[in-house]
Amino acid sequence: MPDLTFDDEEVGEELRHRSEEELNRAPFGIIQIDDDGVVQFYNRYESNLSGVDPEEALDTNFFTELAPCSNNPLFLGRFKDGGCKEEMDEHFTYTFTYKM
């Protein structure tokens, strides 16, 4: 996936059309969650960053189980606002504060 970078404006739309194999080769972390915050996909790059096996991440709640430091108004708040607007195309800087 060398033609796609995390900072590309259309990265979200482009990722929707990639296979799991391609998503696992991405040079950045990719986590797909459903409307309730439950992890549907967790790529290898993200697994290497977090130390969490992709199989262990699946079916967990991102905000309460996988990354509880994101359970705050800035991160979870944007997720909920996007769900209400039915528009989940958010790109913002966030520093995870959890300790490994």
Side-chain angles (χ1 to χ4, degrees), residues 5-74:
T5 65
F6 183 75
D7 292 329
D8 287 343
E9 192 171 309
E10 297 295 320
V11 68
E13 184 59 33
E14 182 64 29
L15 292 176
R16 292 183 222 287
H17 306 289
R18 301 291 177 118
S19 68
E20 282 193 17
E21 182 179 311
E22 289 174 301
L23 296 176
N24 276 315
R25 289 196 314 260
F28 49 85
I30 300 170
I31 304 169
Q32 178 188 7
I33 58 177
D34 68 13
D35 293 346
D36 296 317
V38 177
V39 176
Q40 304 297 303
F41 177 79
Y42 198 80
N43 81 334
R44 287 188 198 119
Y45 191 97
E46 186 65 32
S47 175
N48 290 336
L49 283 175
S50 68
V52 176
D53 185 89
E55 291 299 316
E56 291 178 26
L58 292 178
D59 298 322
T60 63
N61 185 285
F62 179 80
F63 300 104
T64 59
E65 299 173 84
L66 191 59
C69 63
S70 66
N71 190 1
N72 61 58
L74 177 62

